[in-house]
Amino acid sequence: MVPLSYYLVLSGILFACGVTGFLIKRNIITIFMSIELMLNGVNLSFVAFAAQWGKLSGQIFVFFVMVVAAAEAAVGLAIIIAVYRTRETLNVDQVNLLKL
Amino acid sequence: MNGAAQVTPQAVEYIRILPEIVLTIFGIIIMMLDPLMDERRSQRTLGAVGLVGALAAIVATLYQSQYPGVGFWGMVNVDSFSVFFHFLVTAVTAVVILTSYEYMEVQQIRAGEYYGLILFGAVGMCLMSSAVELVLIFIALEISSISTYILAGFRRRAAISSESSVKYFLLGSFATAFFLYGVALMFGATGSTSIAVIGQVLASGQPPVLAYVGIALMFVGLGFKVAAAPFHVWTPDVYEGAPAPIVGFMSTAPKAAVFAVLLRILFEAHAPGRLWLIWVVAALSMTLGNIGALVQDNVKRLLAYSSIAHAGYLLVAFAALPANGIPAAMFYTASYAAMNVGAFAVVSHLASAGERYVTMEDYAGLGRRSPLLAATLTIFLLSLIGIPATGGFFAKFYVFSAALQANLVGLVIIGVLNSAVGAYYYLRVIVVMYMREARQEVPVSPVPLGLGVALAISAVATIYLGVLPGRVLEYATRSAGDLLR
Amino acid sequence: MTPSLHLVLIPILPLIGAAVNGLLGKRFSRQAVATVALAFCGAAFAMALWIALRFSSLPIPLTEYVAPWIRAGSFQADFAFYLDQLSLVMMLVVTGVGFLIHIYAVGYMWEEGGFYRFFSYLNLFMFFMLTLVLANNYLLMFIGWEGVGLASYLLIGFWFTKDAAAAAGKKAFIVNRIGDFGFLIALFLLIKHFGSLNFADVFGTIVENSTQYPVETAGAGLLTAIGLLLMVGAAGKSAQLPLYVWLPDAMEGPTPVSALIHAATMVTAGVYMVARSHVIFDRAPMALTVVAIVGTLTALFAATIGICQTDIKKVLAYSTISQLGYMFLACGVAAYSAGIFHLMTHAFFKGLLFLAAGSVIHAIGGEQDMRKMGGLRDHIPATFWTMTAATFAIAGFPPFAGFFSKDEILWRASQVSLAYWGIGVFTAFLTSFYMFRLWFLTFFGEYRGDQEATQAHGGIHATGSRAGVPAPHGHSGIHESPKIMLIPLAILAILSVMGGWIGAHRFELFLAPVFSSHQTAHLVALTSEQAGQITAMEHLEWVFTAISVAAAALGLYLAWLLYRDRPQLPQRIANALGGFYHAVANKYYVDELYAVLFVKPVVDGSTSILWHGVDQNVIDDTLNDSAEAARDVSDSVRHMQSGNLRSYAGWVALGAAGVIAYMIWMGTR
Amino acid sequence: MLHLTIFLIFGAVCVAGAVNLLVQRHPINSALSLIVVMASLAVEYLLLGAEFVAAVQVIIYAGAIMVLFVFVIMLLNAGEEERTKGSRVAMIFGIPGMLVGSGLVAWVLLERSGTHAVEAGALPGPPKTIAWLLFHEFLLPFEVTSVLVLIAIMGAVVLAGHSDSGGPAKKEG
Amino acid sequence: MNSPTLDSAILTLVTFIPMAGALLLLLFPRRDRDIRIFALVVSVLTFGVSLHLPVYFERARAGFQYEINTPWIPTPNIHYHMGVDGISMWLVVLTTFLTPLCVLISWKSIHERVKEFFILLLIMETALIGVFVSLDLFLFYFFWEATLIPMALLIGIYGHERRVYAAIKFFMFTMIASVFMLAAILWLYAKLGTFDFVAIQTAIRNGQVDGWVGAAPWLFLGFFVAFAVKVPLFPVHTWLPDAHVEAPTAGSVLLAGVLLKMGTYGMLRFNLGLFPDQSRSNAPWIVTLALIGIIYGALVAMVQPNMKKLIAYSSISHLGFVVLGIFSFTQAGLDGAMFVMLAHGVSTGALFMLAGILHERRHTFEITEFGGLATPMPVYATFFSFIVLASVGLPLLNGFVGEFLVLSGAFRAREVYGILGATGVIWSACYLLWMYQRVFFGKVTHDVNRTLPDLDMRERLALWPTAVAALVMGVAPLLWLNAIDPAVQNALAPFAQLASKVVGQ
């Protein structure tokens, strides 16, 4: 018997790690990975809540989230490639032509 | 819930997603035509197809409005509210496509994907306004977001364009994750993702704290999308880097759709505790947006700040009582769409190849070089200021009067002061156009037909909303009734 | 009751003349302009005479209502004219002397550019002056009051290319305005407390409600306030202390103007107004005292300045101020009719003095400095003789006109206070002295001017002579004025001699309906109480008269001594007096004092404190600073947009934390 | 008890992987840690009875998506992360914000979400049931995802594909 | 004929004829001469039509006449409600009177972008008239704001060197102030569901507004601030000199002649009409500001080296009289205030035209650049002096009647008001005559000025009407006052109590 809140806290931790990653990582790809981490955290919540409510729809959501994540990954990585082509760097701190 | 028992959707339910279907079909047609044509011819043909698609979607929307009701097992709900936003989104799409003709040629952008993405993006936006289920909303949101991420980076050879794209993409995904987490918590709190069910649960008794957190996180995600402070920081950068017609598109249509979602979540789902949250966010958005714009010299960036401010004005309506606030907000989205699309249409025309001419200085003497264009831009700017006889005026008017009916005097004071301060930077553009001589030779090509039509539509819409706002507002009021029922 | 006298025509006729000349005169010949001006002015005079002839058969006082003017709520002021003995006298003086001066001016101004303009202004002046004296309410009077100021402004500045003339015109207008300020406030008080400005209404109310409006002996009350304020107005218009400064400068105008406006008519408007308001003054002894003191001091003060002036017109100007002081003294001792009497005789002899002076100036080509005149007696005999009559009149030698009126004033003043009388007599001595000084310097001795200046015919007579000049003059040395100028001189000389012969008592009798009908119980009581004393002092009057004549004779002697017998003496006296002499010669530095006290502080203060200080440094800078501050804030808000993605995420995270915290707080409340 | 133990073990692995993702400087290491996280999450899903999800997690997420990541990392030859100091805001406001926010959420999750506990495999999610749901109640979202995927494809083509002129992209603006 | 149809349509006609003219002008080819003539025809036509108002006006009736009231926008409940009383009617006529003169005076001085200029001018006229005839608060605000743009453009495009600064300053000052009014209007609408002036007034008088006690002071201020900036009242006046100096002549004429009156009209109609209690309690400091404005404006005017700036500051001073009169709450004060508005419109409008004529010849407003102009330009000098005298407040000219009534009203309300206000009479003589002296008298100091041409026919045509109006208004003010008086009486009805109290003191 695992209290549900454990799952939820775990998901929260993952989400928080993702946020932290976004804040501290410099490499665009790693930042993107942090986002994936956040999504994974959310997915865990969905599944946990699905278990709590006894509704399978929660699991369906996870499926959709994955699809979206996949699509995002494809697009996101393409964008990253495009950025790399024009800037020849993946450091976000240097991707700052647009400011003020 | 008629869908629970049945196995396949009925025909009428397809009508309820007809505009989306139409848009998708035309998007696919474009994709298929693209490889069949050579580069030069495809530009116009594909644009024409896209335009037809958008117009067909408008027709479909009108047709659809005859068949209100729920479809696909409670996933979509066609009511006057959704029809309103469908119409808005498709109309904006059509205008943006018209605007893009010339831009594509000047900037040498590949047309197939461009128009396709616009149409597909419009699918997402349309769906957002009619979806009544959080997961569908999420997917629709992603469709519109991802397509705009891509469109923002369409000027691939320009470093700023891809930077804009990557910033938009990363921050957008970041915010989407928040939204999604909110959905999850909401699901956890209520056991459902259907807005109707959530609304029932939340309306009955004290909602659980989890629901509050869920709302908070969803608000963060959606607030980001509409560029409400403090989630607005991406806006200026992205707008500056993205292609001008696309900025016109993404500052209006997706925003309108997200506002529709926000309205549904806050009002239809009876989200608790919104008042002071919105109060602060609205005040902050107005103030930061206007103040930030004061010293901008890049017109695109200026309009980006202005869109932050306008998000703030719009949010004022959300703090008001639903019966007044919703119609006010809807009216605001409509008039904002009209004027902002128009303004960006002018900007994209003047930008010229490589978007070289986008600073204030480049607008100097425009009133002399191209009086009609300058006059049109002036109309949009005046509307953005909120001068009577333009849509922008009535939009602010309704919003503020709705807020006053809810006794939000402080917020209204902040709002009107902001709109006065905001006048300054719009006025600067007008001043530069009419009262300053050009220091350098900035070429202004004649306005092509497509752009002309687009400008005419936007201008007429802006003026129409400013002179005879009654019908639109009446419709919006009816929609609000539908939403709150 | 007479259906209508068409009193309105009297002021209107000159107005028509002014309009005709003003609008069309540019295309008229000089003859035509002169004809128009004289015709309309003369017509007014004729009407005035006609009315005077019928006067005994008229129901006096007579009000003639013409048209409504201003109405606001219950307040109203109309175009309505009022005829009684007082206004009849004034009307006759104004139209009569005015007409004569018009005639004179035709000759005097013949060669000037802007001939039509001059006569248009002059007729305009007549219009306003007649409106002033015929008005039936204070507001209409105020029209005339301001209007004559305007005409004076225009005429002083007639030679507008001369900076001094333009400045003098402006000064006159503004100083008059300061006086008018007091007048206006008085009107407001009247409106507030009486609801009307009609003489009949106001005076009627006061007389009928003597309990409500008692004689304010105990302390200053409403009527005292009104009286004092009216006196401020009168002091402005009639050049009394401390507002006299404009009148000497006004001599920049053409001499007929000085004669008409700044001697005979306009400047006496203040006296007329005080006399007209006697109902108020009678009940405000304190105000009366102020009037008397101001009058006395002005008389003395101006006379002392007059001694040292070298400009012939300036002497006359200070003399005018001084004589006006006499009139105020008369009013101040409630001897209104004496004041009016002196007003009339003064109009004759002072008008004459100016015209004669003009003739002198005309004769020697525009020179006004007496030190450069002398010995003109033989060159211009007609002028000399008329001038002599006038000089004796003003000096107060019997049987000239000035004697009768001045004597009456001094006598009445002595009844109130011997101080008034003493100063009055001393002033009479001074008057006599400086007038004879002028007389000797101008007409006797050797001619001291240079011949060439007369050849060039003066700086101000800039425009050349034209065809149709009535008498050849201007280029052949000193010459007598043409007939058209001499005839008015002659008439006025006759009047200066005989004008006083009607006698002060008969004059007082004539005006009695005006001044005694409202005589207060207080004054009546006073007079009856002292009736015996007065008869006892009957013979005293003769003594007083003798003293004042002696004073005048002494003045004559002294003038002869200093300026005829021993011409080097004045300089020595001047040296002996040193600073005091300079102070007097420079008009006690009053103009400079005013400049330092008022003009400069106001101009400098307005420039540096108000305009640059408040407007630019405080208000505009505050606004610019706040705009600047807004830009600074804007700049810092911009810096939220550092361009760094992680910073953006930081803002989002912070915002999210805030939103979450708020919502949790909401949820757990 | 076993249930809890497994949860704790894989939970710890999961968190460790997440933290490792943060501390690793080379993106490839981060990607590998992410795969660890995903895999251990798949176990947690199984514990919750979500068999289908667990499988998909491994196949799509850990498999397809992460492969894509690794591929791109390789393609771009991304090197070690430089520790540039680009953002004070993220440190001064972002991290505290994150801590406060997640602390609050954690508090809510622990204190306010009830004392539910779940058995292992509490809600079995067999593919058939899931499929039924997916093609009925969630038919529309499912179909709509096709548009999403289409967009993704187009986007990838447009952005990552060679530029129209064929040559290497020039820098502009 | 005075038919009912015409009566209800006349205000619409007057308001929108210029607008229609502007639209037609849009279609005109760019032949400057034709455009000018057309603009003149339109404006003269408007003036002609507007004369219908005073001719058939029922003088004795206090309420609104020529009313038209049809729904415009159902939500919010906006009506196209227009009507004039004795107060607003004259301001309409003033506007239509000045516009043809503006056209005439701009005939030659505007030679670039002529079409746009006249379009803006005509739009401006419509907006100005609209402000005065609107009886629906919304409609009022609509026109109120609508005046802003054409004026800002007129200043900014056709102005002089620092035109951009002036245009922005003008716009921002008035814009920021008027949003407070918008907020107040919105509040009223939120509470009452109507914008109708009469309905709101009735509701307020019957005490049917909840939360009125707490809100009224703020609402009063909201309206007042907007009007005060427009007037402009003392501390917020600095936009005016800049705007005037930079504006083209026609802009200055309309600005001083009509635009400023929007502020005082608003105070009269709305501050007094809707908030009698608040007007009463706020009067002391408002009057203080007005008095400061009178004296301050005059003093600063006196030391201005720039002719137009001088006239601008004199406007501040004159408008101070208007505010003083309005907040004296006396019949005479308000009558006078109205009359000063009209008189100031005519005479200051004329002064600006005169300054503009000079500028056309010499391209400067600096007083030191002139001197002795009466010699080369006698006719001009005569007109100038006439108008200066009118402006100084010489009896029998238009300036006097109003100032006198205002001051007597103010004096009646409280002595010190009248006394301080009356000092303005002195000051106005000082600065105007001094300026006149420096410009026209003395010798010609600059050789360029020796050959300046005098007025031509067109300029005389533009100036004569103002001169005649100045004279007629001074001699026969009753023509105006007998319509103003009942309206003012009506406006003062709620103050009757106050008036009797003051008189009793």
Side-chain angles (χ1 to χ4, degrees), chain C residues 652-663:
Chain C
V652 172
L654 183 69
V659 172
I660 290 167
Y662 166 78
M663 287 303 266

Side-chain angles (χ1 to χ4, degrees), chain E residues 273-288:
Chain E
L274 299 180
F275 312 94
D277 294 336
Q278 283 68 34
S279 303
R280 200 177 306 180
S281 53
N282 284 303
W285 65 265
I286 294 173
V287 167
T288 308

